[in-house]
Amino acid sequence: LQHTNLIMSSRRKRKASNSSSEGSPAKKQRRLAEGLLEDPSKYHTEFQPGQIVRIKLKNWVTFDYTAIECEPGLNLICGPNGTGKSSIVCAICLGLGGKPRSLGRGDKPTDFIKYGRTEAIIEMDLFKAKGQTDSIKRIISKNGKSSSWFLNDHSVKTKDIERFVKSKRNIKVDNLCQFLAQDRVSEFARLSPKELLIETEKAIEDDQLYKWHQFLMDAGDEAANAHTQIENARQTLRQNENEIETLKRTIEQFELKKKMEGEMKVYQALLEWRRSDLKHQEYKAKLKETEKLQKQYEKKKGNVGPLKKEESKWKKKVNATSTKLRDAASDGKKWDRRRTKAKAKLIECSEEIKAKEDEIKQANQDLKARIKQKRVIESSIEKLQQKVGTFDLEEIERAKAEKTQLTRGALKAARQERNRLDDEYKSVNNQKQEVQCRLERIDRQLAQWRNEKARKEGLIFNSHRSKERQFKLWVDTHRHEFVGEVYGPIVQEMTVKEQQFADFLNSVISATTLYGYVCTNGDDWERVVRHAGDMKLTIAVYTSTADDSNSNNNNNRNNHNNSQQQEYIRRPMEHSELNRHGVDGYLDEIYEAPAVIKRVLNDNLGLHQRGYCMREISSSALDSVLATVSGQQHRLRSLLTPTAVYSIKDSRYSSNVLRSLNNLVRHRNPILTVTPDFSQQIECEQEKKKALNHEMEALLHQKREIEQQKKQNVAEMEKINDRKKAVEQTIAAYNKVSNQLAKKKRDLEELEKENRSDDPQQLGQELTAQIEEQNAVRIDIFAKMAAQFDEIVDSLRQVTVYQILKKQYEEEQKHIKQKLEAMNRRNQELKQELEKSKREQSSLKDQYQALTNKANQEYPRRQYATKWTADDKKLELDEIENKINHLQGRINVLFIDESRVQRYQRLNKTIAKQRADLEKQEAEQNRKVDDIKKVENQWKPQLEEAVDKISGKFSEFFQQFNNAEGRVRLVSHSEDSKEANEAHTELAYSEWCIQIETKFRREQPWKQLTSSSQSGGEKSVSTMLYLLSLKQVTTVPFRVVDEINQGMDPQNERRIMHILNYECTPRLQHVNKNGSGGDHARSIVDLPQYFVVTPKLLPRLQYSPCSSVYVIFNGPFQMPQNFWKLTEFVDTQKQLTQQSTQQPSQSQSQSQSQSQDEEEEESD
């Protein structure tokens, strides 16, 4: 289908229409005169900052591409339902940083991308100043995680756009008072009075009132909580002060005990310092003893020096002798190395001589062995020659010839016969296996066709439908208990022949219906419904008439051929008429089921009135078969094609119908599937199976015959092989003896060759010469050793002399060393005694210092020395201890509850801290109260002034309606006790609210606007008038209202539109005198900008000269754009207007009087 986009903008005329004043009464002029400009053409309308200048959309919902030029004043967006009016409102919201939740449509921006496209683009121009605009561009892509934003062709983030739109241009798309989308009209009416106050504050100027109110609510709650905390703190402080009074008796006893403990502490200090003084005296005595020992040790230590010098002199002699001894020993080692080398050479010569002698012996032994071996081989050859002579050579030749004849003749023929039989056997086996496979395939195919019902049941009751399966088992188990027939589940009773038919039925029949049941008896129906409820199973259970039950009991339940059930079904159109336009029939004809099932589906789903076609049809054919006028007979109201579902609904605004187009949903796991009939295929396959069985029997008979022939062939081959084996044994025995004889002869020849090559006499002479050479070398070595013997003896003698001298010097050194060690031992004992004395001295010093430190730490001398009397200083240690024990006994007599004392001390600290904290809290509370009063003094007057302005304008608007009144009240005090005492009945800041009160008849009491108190039309009127009243206190650049006239009656709708046009008509308060002088100078008119979405324009309504109309003519069922002629449409409308003005004077006067009456009512 071709989708066309058309936006027609009826440009406003700058000059006032002359036809509006001709023939109109003076009263009509007076109604418009107050506050309006007499000649708007003298003024030039200009955008205000933040107003929308231009909107461009690409791939947006239903639009391919469109551009909308906006104007100041009233912008009316009208067109048929479903053409895309609200899509433009959505584009304004999302293009200015709004969220989908502000619209109530879709969960994410990608939901607004046109079907089949990957991205959508929104581009908006906002007026800045002096002809300049700010360009905001948003690109929404299905592939990206977030949108791309551009501000004046510069890439920015979403937060930057939101900050720019809200702070720089004062646009609040999430505020219901500025942006009221179609799906949020009821949400505005559901706002509570508190929420209405918040939304109104947000809409006023720069949110300052809302910020002050939010501060007051938060600070008020904090102040209330703080006041409660202060009262609790005061109560706790009083309780602690009362408790501390009850603890004073215990504290008096505690003070007495404390005093005695102080006296005891004085004596304890005296005791500690007396012990310290005694320890100091012991330390001084030990110090004198240590100094005496130190002098004795120094004197003894000086006698060690001379002995050490003498011991060093003998040590030097020992070292010098040791050096000479090492040199002599080195010479001796050199002669030892020479002797060792000569010895090794002699050993080597002896070993070589012995090896040569061994070789001579081995050569003689080898010669004797070869002679012996030759004799053995010659004897074996003689025996083998005798054995060969026993064989008959002619008989051997005959055996070889017979072997050749058997191998090439009978045995070869038998093997060929065996191979032929094997080939035939394999061929028969292959044919048998092939036939067997074909039989198995036929059996599997038959089993598959016969189990089609089980397969269908498995698809219907999959793993996600366990409850439905259990319910079916229950029905099957109790089927004999039912009074009538129970059919179901319905999907199992239905048979579909084609997949397309299954897709049609799956798209129009819900799962609850497909898994439902049909009962022919009321008691059965109640039992089935009750059990389904017990299982918490959501399915449809239907009942049928008794006629259906009787008719179906006479036929088989599994026979789905409905041709036997002749029943008249009323159709919207005849089949011939449908077929002529390409429609194939109705949905109840594309499946087979029992008649009762068909009747239930027709009665509840209307399948007998829904058409289908197996291919797509043209637009003209759709117009011929689908209803085009509300209530049209003999036309379809629903049609299914392979890709789409067409539905017809009556319009609420005219006699036209709304045609909706939805995609045909194809489920990934459909419930209803194709059920084919395989009876003919089963019969054909059974014939094939019978023929194959005959063929299998013939192959088995042929196989048995071949096996018999193979047995005979095997017996014949065994007989031939036995004869061949006997001949081969004779030949093998002769060949074995002949081979052994040949091998022995070869061994004899090789042995003779070895005897000729090895001469024992020559080898003996060579080895004897080599032995003599080695003996000469040995004699030379002995001569050299004899010449060096004297030098070796001198070296040994010198080593002995040096060893004796070293021993003598070492003995002298040892004697002096022993004397030195004895003297050192005596000095060491004296030193140990000195160190022991020093340790005792150090220990006494440490004890004295520890006692002094302890006394200074626990009992400082300066503090307690003044408390000791002269008698106290004369006391001994035991006397001081007796006094301490006496005081301790008196203290022990006093029983003091330490927990009460600790409680008293803690309470003292707690009370001090509580008093300090209470003072801080009171000071902080006073500061908070001052801040609240300061903010309240700014917020409350401005809020009351704003509400008064809104209420005045709201009441003024309501005066346009007959006998209707309206007011807006700011509720800040409790209603029931306001007159009694205002200071105590003022509500908390979070409880302040705005109440919209209306009465559409004078005799009615005032009613607060709520979601349930008024009718839909009254709520719509009140909501729209409140939004218009907000203009008095807000400076937002534009407002958006989407189909607010829904639910209004024609008279209220006309009055609302009249007020809206009045608000957008140039008036004196809008004039901005910036024009230059001269007769033709025109002042600039600043107008508000409204975007109002409405399905139609009201006839005979005087629209503002600053109004723009945008007709959305978009969709597959609208006139193509190339057929639309704007001039022809205007000419036609002019002709209709002229015809209406030329009617009889009577009707003209009647209409004129009626118009006057309406004007009087509106003026009242």
Side-chain angles (χ1 to χ4, degrees), residues 778-823:
R778 292 174 65 189
I779 292 171
D780 185 43
I781 291 171
F782 281 125
K784 289 180 179 180
M785 290 181 65
Q788 297 172 355
F789 182 74
D790 294 336
E791 296 179 3
I792 294 171
V793 171
D794 292 339
S795 176
L796 292 174
R797 187 184 301 111
Q798 192 173 7
V799 168
T800 304
V801 171
Y802 287 139
Q803 286 177 347
I804 294 170
L805 288 174
K806 181 181 179 183
K807 187 69 175 175
Q808 180 182 356
Y809 296 155
E810 286 176 348
E811 288 294 329
E812 291 291 338
Q813 181 186 5
K814 183 178 179 182
H815 175 67
I816 294 172
K817 195 173 183 179
Q818 288 175 353
K819 290 172 65 179
L820 184 61
E821 288 176 354
M823 188 175 290

Short mmCIF file of all heavy atoms in Angstrom, two decimals, residues 778-823:
data_model
loop_
_atom_site.label_atom_id
_atom_site.label_comp_id
_atom_site.label_asym_id
_atom_site.label_seq_id
_atom_site.Cartn_x
_atom_site.Cartn_y
_atom_site.Cartn_z
N ARG A 778 111.82 -51.23 30.36
CA ARG A 778 111.82 -51.46 31.81
C ARG A 778 113.24 -51.32 32.37
O ARG A 778 113.44 -50.70 33.43
CB ARG A 778 111.29 -52.86 32.12
CG ARG A 778 109.81 -53.00 31.82
CD ARG A 778 109.36 -54.45 31.99
NE ARG A 778 109.47 -54.86 33.39
CZ ARG A 778 109.31 -56.12 33.81
NH1 ARG A 778 109.04 -57.07 32.93
NH2 ARG A 778 109.42 -56.39 35.09
N ILE A 779 114.22 -51.80 31.67
CA ILE A 779 115.62 -51.72 32.15
C ILE A 779 116.06 -50.27 32.22
O ILE A 779 116.72 -49.83 33.17
CB ILE A 779 116.53 -52.54 31.21
CG1 ILE A 779 116.17 -54.04 31.36
CG2 ILE A 779 118.00 -52.30 31.52
CD1 ILE A 779 116.85 -54.92 30.32
N ASP A 780 115.64 -49.42 31.26
CA ASP A 780 116.02 -48.00 31.23
C ASP A 780 115.43 -47.26 32.43
O ASP A 780 116.08 -46.41 33.04
CB ASP A 780 115.54 -47.40 29.92
CG ASP A 780 115.99 -45.97 29.76
OD1 ASP A 780 117.16 -45.66 30.07
OD2 ASP A 780 115.15 -45.11 29.34
N ILE A 781 114.20 -47.59 32.78
CA ILE A 781 113.54 -46.93 33.91
C ILE A 781 114.25 -47.27 35.21
O ILE A 781 114.50 -46.40 36.07
CB ILE A 781 112.06 -47.33 33.97
CG1 ILE A 781 111.31 -46.74 32.77
CG2 ILE A 781 111.41 -46.87 35.26
CD1 ILE A 781 109.90 -47.26 32.63
N PHE A 782 114.66 -48.53 35.41
CA PHE A 782 115.37 -48.92 36.64
C PHE A 782 116.69 -48.20 36.75
O PHE A 782 117.12 -47.80 37.85
CB PHE A 782 115.58 -50.44 36.64
CG PHE A 782 114.36 -51.21 37.05
CD1 PHE A 782 113.83 -52.20 36.22
CD2 PHE A 782 113.74 -50.96 38.26
CE1 PHE A 782 112.71 -52.91 36.58
CE2 PHE A 782 112.62 -51.69 38.62
CZ PHE A 782 112.09 -52.65 37.78
N ALA A 783 117.38 -47.93 35.68
CA ALA A 783 118.68 -47.24 35.71
C ALA A 783 118.50 -45.80 36.16
O ALA A 783 119.29 -45.28 36.98
CB ALA A 783 119.33 -47.30 34.32
N LYS A 784 117.51 -45.11 35.68
CA LYS A 784 117.27 -43.70 36.07
C LYS A 784 116.92 -43.60 37.54
O LYS A 784 117.37 -42.70 38.25
CB LYS A 784 116.14 -43.12 35.23
CG LYS A 784 116.54 -42.89 33.77
CD LYS A 784 115.38 -42.30 32.99
CE LYS A 784 115.75 -42.05 31.53
NZ LYS A 784 114.64 -41.49 30.77
N MET A 785 116.15 -44.53 38.09
CA MET A 785 115.76 -44.48 39.50
C MET A 785 116.96 -44.70 40.41
O MET A 785 117.07 -44.08 41.47
CB MET A 785 114.69 -45.53 39.77
CG MET A 785 113.35 -45.21 39.15
SD MET A 785 112.11 -46.46 39.53
CE MET A 785 111.99 -46.23 41.29
N ALA A 786 117.91 -45.50 40.01
CA ALA A 786 119.11 -45.75 40.82
C ALA A 786 119.98 -44.51 40.89
O ALA A 786 120.57 -44.19 41.94
CB ALA A 786 119.89 -46.92 40.22
N ALA A 787 120.04 -43.71 39.80
CA ALA A 787 120.85 -42.48 39.79
C ALA A 787 120.28 -41.42 40.71
O ALA A 787 121.02 -40.59 41.27
CB ALA A 787 120.96 -41.96 38.35
N GLN A 788 118.97 -41.33 40.96
CA GLN A 788 118.34 -40.28 41.78
C GLN A 788 118.14 -40.71 43.23
O GLN A 788 117.58 -39.95 44.03
CB GLN A 788 116.97 -39.93 41.18
CG GLN A 788 117.05 -39.35 39.78
CD GLN A 788 115.67 -39.20 39.15
OE1 GLN A 788 114.69 -39.62 39.74
NE2 GLN A 788 115.63 -38.61 37.94
N PHE A 789 118.62 -41.84 43.68
CA PHE A 789 118.34 -42.36 45.01
C PHE A 789 119.00 -41.51 46.09
O PHE A 789 118.41 -41.22 47.14
CB PHE A 789 118.81 -43.82 45.10
CG PHE A 789 118.54 -44.46 46.43
CD1 PHE A 789 117.26 -44.85 46.77
CD2 PHE A 789 119.59 -44.65 47.35
CE1 PHE A 789 117.03 -45.43 48.00
CE2 PHE A 789 119.33 -45.22 48.58
CZ PHE A 789 118.04 -45.62 48.90
N ASP A 790 120.25 -40.97 45.92
CA ASP A 790 120.95 -40.18 46.93
C ASP A 790 120.24 -38.85 47.19
O ASP A 790 120.13 -38.41 48.35
CB ASP A 790 122.39 -39.91 46.45
CG ASP A 790 123.20 -41.21 46.36
OD1 ASP A 790 122.81 -42.17 47.08
OD2 ASP A 790 124.15 -41.26 45.58
N GLU A 791 119.77 -38.21 46.16
CA GLU A 791 119.06 -36.94 46.35
C GLU A 791 117.78 -37.14 47.18
O GLU A 791 117.44 -36.32 48.03
CB GLU A 791 118.70 -36.33 45.00
CG GLU A 791 119.93 -35.95 44.17
CD GLU A 791 119.53 -35.37 42.82
OE1 GLU A 791 118.28 -35.21 42.61
OE2 GLU A 791 120.39 -35.04 42.01
N ILE A 792 117.14 -38.26 46.99
CA ILE A 792 115.90 -38.54 47.73
C ILE A 792 116.21 -38.74 49.20
O ILE A 792 115.49 -38.22 50.09
CB ILE A 792 115.20 -39.77 47.14
CG1 ILE A 792 114.71 -39.47 45.72
CG2 ILE A 792 114.03 -40.20 48.01
CD1 ILE A 792 114.20 -40.70 44.98
N VAL A 793 117.35 -39.40 49.55
CA VAL A 793 117.71 -39.65 50.94
C VAL A 793 118.03 -38.35 51.65
O VAL A 793 117.61 -38.11 52.80
CB VAL A 793 118.90 -40.63 51.01
CG1 VAL A 793 119.43 -40.74 52.45
CG2 VAL A 793 118.48 -42.00 50.52
N ASP A 794 118.77 -37.37 51.00
CA ASP A 794 119.09 -36.06 51.61
C ASP A 794 117.82 -35.26 51.91
O ASP A 794 117.70 -34.62 52.96
CB ASP A 794 119.99 -35.27 50.67
CG ASP A 794 121.38 -35.91 50.53
OD1 ASP A 794 121.76 -36.68 51.44
OD2 ASP A 794 122.05 -35.63 49.52
N SER A 795 116.88 -35.33 51.02
CA SER A 795 115.64 -34.59 51.22
C SER A 795 114.89 -35.14 52.44
O SER A 795 114.37 -34.38 53.26
CB SER A 795 114.76 -34.68 49.97
OG SER A 795 113.52 -34.05 50.18
N LEU A 796 114.89 -36.43 52.61
CA LEU A 796 114.19 -37.03 53.74
C LEU A 796 114.87 -36.69 55.06
O LEU A 796 114.20 -36.44 56.08
CB LEU A 796 114.10 -38.55 53.56
CG LEU A 796 113.20 -39.03 52.41
CD1 LEU A 796 113.31 -40.56 52.25
CD2 LEU A 796 111.75 -38.67 52.69
N ARG A 797 116.20 -36.62 55.06
CA ARG A 797 116.93 -36.29 56.28
C ARG A 797 116.62 -34.86 56.72
O ARG A 797 116.42 -34.57 57.90
CB ARG A 797 118.45 -36.47 56.01
CG ARG A 797 119.28 -36.29 57.31
CD ARG A 797 120.78 -36.36 57.05
NE ARG A 797 121.15 -37.64 56.46
CZ ARG A 797 121.57 -37.79 55.22
NH1 ARG A 797 121.68 -36.75 54.44
NH2 ARG A 797 121.90 -39.00 54.75
N GLN A 798 116.59 -33.90 55.80
CA GLN A 798 116.32 -32.49 56.12
C GLN A 798 114.91 -32.33 56.70
O GLN A 798 114.71 -31.56 57.65
CB GLN A 798 116.48 -31.66 54.85
CG GLN A 798 116.50 -30.17 55.12
CD GLN A 798 116.82 -29.38 53.86
OE1 GLN A 798 116.90 -29.96 52.78
NE2 GLN A 798 117.00 -28.08 54.01
N VAL A 799 113.96 -33.04 56.18
CA VAL A 799 112.59 -32.96 56.69
C VAL A 799 112.55 -33.43 58.14
O VAL A 799 111.88 -32.83 58.99
CB VAL A 799 111.65 -33.80 55.80
CG1 VAL A 799 110.30 -33.97 56.47
CG2 VAL A 799 111.48 -33.16 54.45
N THR A 800 113.31 -34.45 58.48
CA THR A 800 113.31 -34.99 59.84
C THR A 800 113.87 -33.98 60.82
O THR A 800 113.33 -33.80 61.93
CB THR A 800 114.11 -36.29 59.88
OG1 THR A 800 113.56 -37.21 58.92
CG2 THR A 800 114.05 -36.92 61.26
N VAL A 801 114.98 -33.27 60.44
CA VAL A 801 115.61 -32.28 61.33
C VAL A 801 114.62 -31.15 61.65
O VAL A 801 114.46 -30.74 62.80
CB VAL A 801 116.89 -31.73 60.68
CG1 VAL A 801 117.44 -30.54 61.48
CG2 VAL A 801 117.96 -32.83 60.62
N TYR A 802 113.97 -30.64 60.62
CA TYR A 802 113.01 -29.52 60.83
C TYR A 802 111.83 -29.97 61.70
O TYR A 802 111.30 -29.17 62.50
CB TYR A 802 112.49 -29.01 59.49
CG TYR A 802 113.56 -28.20 58.73
CD1 TYR A 802 113.70 -28.35 57.37
CD2 TYR A 802 114.39 -27.29 59.39
CE1 TYR A 802 114.64 -27.63 56.66
CE2 TYR A 802 115.33 -26.57 58.71
CZ TYR A 802 115.46 -26.73 57.34
OH TYR A 802 116.38 -26.02 56.65
N GLN A 803 111.42 -31.16 61.61
CA GLN A 803 110.30 -31.65 62.43
C GLN A 803 110.69 -31.69 63.91
O GLN A 803 109.89 -31.33 64.78
CB GLN A 803 109.88 -33.05 61.96
CG GLN A 803 109.13 -33.04 60.64
CD GLN A 803 108.79 -34.45 60.16
OE1 GLN A 803 109.33 -35.43 60.72
NE2 GLN A 803 107.93 -34.52 59.14
N ILE A 804 111.97 -32.05 64.21
CA ILE A 804 112.43 -32.11 65.61
C ILE A 804 112.49 -30.70 66.20
O ILE A 804 112.04 -30.44 67.34
CB ILE A 804 113.80 -32.81 65.68
CG1 ILE A 804 113.64 -34.29 65.28
CG2 ILE A 804 114.40 -32.69 67.08
CD1 ILE A 804 114.96 -35.02 65.10
N LEU A 805 113.03 -29.72 65.42
CA LEU A 805 113.12 -28.34 65.90
C LEU A 805 111.72 -27.76 66.17
O LEU A 805 111.49 -27.07 67.17
CB LEU A 805 113.86 -27.47 64.89
CG LEU A 805 115.36 -27.72 64.77
CD1 LEU A 805 115.95 -26.90 63.63
CD2 LEU A 805 116.09 -27.38 66.08
N LYS A 806 110.79 -28.00 65.28
CA LYS A 806 109.42 -27.47 65.46
C LYS A 806 108.78 -28.03 66.71
O LYS A 806 108.12 -27.29 67.46
CB LYS A 806 108.59 -27.84 64.23
CG LYS A 806 107.17 -27.32 64.30
CD LYS A 806 106.38 -27.73 63.07
CE LYS A 806 104.96 -27.21 63.19
NZ LYS A 806 104.12 -27.63 62.05
N LYS A 807 109.05 -29.30 67.03
CA LYS A 807 108.48 -29.91 68.22
C LYS A 807 109.04 -29.26 69.47
O LYS A 807 108.31 -28.98 70.45
CB LYS A 807 108.78 -31.41 68.20
CG LYS A 807 108.10 -32.18 69.30
CD LYS A 807 106.63 -32.23 69.08
CE LYS A 807 105.94 -33.12 70.12
NZ LYS A 807 104.48 -33.10 70.01
N GLN A 808 110.35 -28.91 69.45
CA GLN A 808 111.00 -28.30 70.62
C GLN A 808 110.41 -26.91 70.88
O GLN A 808 110.07 -26.55 72.01
CB GLN A 808 112.51 -28.23 70.37
CG GLN A 808 113.28 -27.60 71.55
CD GLN A 808 114.78 -27.51 71.25
OE1 GLN A 808 115.25 -27.98 70.20
NE2 GLN A 808 115.53 -26.89 72.18
N TYR A 809 110.31 -26.10 69.79
CA TYR A 809 109.78 -24.74 69.96
C TYR A 809 108.32 -24.76 70.44
O TYR A 809 107.89 -23.92 71.25
CB TYR A 809 109.86 -24.00 68.63
CG TYR A 809 111.30 -23.78 68.16
CD1 TYR A 809 111.59 -23.61 66.80
CD2 TYR A 809 112.39 -23.73 69.07
CE1 TYR A 809 112.87 -23.41 66.35
CE2 TYR A 809 113.68 -23.55 68.62
CZ TYR A 809 113.91 -23.39 67.27
OH TYR A 809 115.18 -23.20 66.84
N GLU A 810 107.56 -25.70 69.95
CA GLU A 810 106.15 -25.77 70.34
C GLU A 810 106.01 -26.12 71.81
O GLU A 810 105.10 -25.62 72.50
CB GLU A 810 105.41 -26.82 69.49
CG GLU A 810 105.14 -26.37 68.07
CD GLU A 810 104.50 -27.45 67.23
OE1 GLU A 810 104.47 -28.61 67.69
OE2 GLU A 810 104.02 -27.15 66.10
N GLU A 811 106.94 -26.93 72.38
CA GLU A 811 106.88 -27.27 73.79
C GLU A 811 107.17 -26.05 74.66
O GLU A 811 106.52 -25.83 75.69
CB GLU A 811 107.88 -28.39 74.11
CG GLU A 811 107.47 -29.75 73.55
CD GLU A 811 106.21 -30.28 74.20
OE1 GLU A 811 105.97 -29.97 75.38
OE2 GLU A 811 105.41 -30.96 73.49
N GLU A 812 108.17 -25.24 74.26
CA GLU A 812 108.46 -24.01 75.01
C GLU A 812 107.26 -23.06 74.99
O GLU A 812 106.88 -22.48 76.01
CB GLU A 812 109.69 -23.32 74.39
CG GLU A 812 110.98 -24.07 74.60
CD GLU A 812 111.42 -24.08 76.04
OE1 GLU A 812 110.98 -23.18 76.81
OE2 GLU A 812 112.16 -24.97 76.44
N GLN A 813 106.67 -22.92 73.82
CA GLN A 813 105.50 -22.02 73.69
C GLN A 813 104.34 -22.53 74.56
O GLN A 813 103.64 -21.75 75.21
CB GLN A 813 105.07 -21.93 72.22
CG GLN A 813 103.89 -21.00 72.00
CD GLN A 813 103.40 -21.05 70.56
OE1 GLN A 813 103.89 -21.86 69.78
NE2 GLN A 813 102.45 -20.16 70.24
N LYS A 814 104.16 -23.83 74.62
CA LYS A 814 103.07 -24.41 75.40
C LYS A 814 103.27 -24.15 76.89
O LYS A 814 102.31 -23.84 77.61
CB LYS A 814 103.02 -25.91 75.12
CG LYS A 814 101.90 -26.62 75.82
CD LYS A 814 101.88 -28.09 75.45
CE LYS A 814 100.75 -28.83 76.17
NZ LYS A 814 100.78 -30.27 75.86
N HIS A 815 104.54 -24.22 77.38
CA HIS A 815 104.80 -24.00 78.80
C HIS A 815 104.44 -22.57 79.20
O HIS A 815 103.77 -22.33 80.21
CB HIS A 815 106.28 -24.28 79.10
CG HIS A 815 106.69 -23.97 80.49
ND1 HIS A 815 106.24 -24.67 81.59
CD2 HIS A 815 107.53 -22.99 81.01
CE1 HIS A 815 106.73 -24.16 82.68
NE2 HIS A 815 107.54 -23.12 82.37
N ILE A 816 104.88 -21.60 78.37
CA ILE A 816 104.58 -20.19 78.67
C ILE A 816 103.07 -19.94 78.58
O ILE A 816 102.48 -19.19 79.38
CB ILE A 816 105.36 -19.29 77.71
CG1 ILE A 816 106.87 -19.44 77.98
CG2 ILE A 816 104.93 -17.83 77.87
CD1 ILE A 816 107.75 -18.75 76.99
N LYS A 817 102.43 -20.60 77.62
CA LYS A 817 100.99 -20.40 77.44
C LYS A 817 100.21 -20.91 78.65
O LYS A 817 99.21 -20.30 79.07
CB LYS A 817 100.54 -21.13 76.18
CG LYS A 817 99.16 -20.72 75.69
CD LYS A 817 98.90 -21.37 74.34
CE LYS A 817 97.56 -20.91 73.79
NZ LYS A 817 97.29 -21.50 72.47
N GLN A 818 100.65 -22.02 79.26
CA GLN A 818 99.98 -22.55 80.44
C GLN A 818 100.08 -21.59 81.61
O GLN A 818 99.11 -21.39 82.35
CB GLN A 818 100.60 -23.89 80.82
CG GLN A 818 100.24 -25.01 79.85
CD GLN A 818 100.94 -26.32 80.17
OE1 GLN A 818 101.83 -26.35 81.06
NE2 GLN A 818 100.58 -27.38 79.44
N LYS A 819 101.30 -20.96 81.78
CA LYS A 819 101.47 -19.98 82.85
C LYS A 819 100.53 -18.79 82.63
O LYS A 819 99.91 -18.28 83.56
CB LYS A 819 102.93 -19.52 82.90
CG LYS A 819 103.89 -20.59 83.39
CD LYS A 819 105.36 -20.15 83.25
CE LYS A 819 105.62 -18.97 84.16
NZ LYS A 819 107.06 -18.53 84.07
N LEU A 820 100.44 -18.37 81.34
CA LEU A 820 99.58 -17.23 81.01
C LEU A 820 98.10 -17.56 81.27
O LEU A 820 97.35 -16.72 81.79
CB LEU A 820 99.79 -16.84 79.55
CG LEU A 820 99.04 -15.60 79.06
CD1 LEU A 820 99.47 -14.37 79.85
CD2 LEU A 820 99.29 -15.37 77.56
N GLU A 821 97.73 -18.78 80.98
CA GLU A 821 96.34 -19.17 81.19
C GLU A 821 96.00 -19.22 82.67
O GLU A 821 94.88 -18.83 83.08
CB GLU A 821 96.07 -20.53 80.55
CG GLU A 821 96.03 -20.48 79.04
CD GLU A 821 95.85 -21.86 78.41
OE1 GLU A 821 95.88 -22.85 79.18
OE2 GLU A 821 95.69 -21.94 77.17
N ALA A 822 96.88 -19.67 83.49
CA ALA A 822 96.64 -19.71 84.94
C ALA A 822 96.43 -18.31 85.49
O ALA A 822 95.53 -18.05 86.31
CB ALA A 822 97.81 -20.39 85.66
N MET A 823 97.30 -17.37 85.01
CA MET A 823 97.17 -15.99 85.46
C MET A 823 95.83 -15.40 84.96
O MET A 823 95.15 -14.67 85.71
CB MET A 823 98.34 -15.15 84.93
CG MET A 823 98.37 -13.73 85.50
SD MET A 823 99.83 -12.86 84.95
CE MET A 823 101.10 -13.75 85.87
#
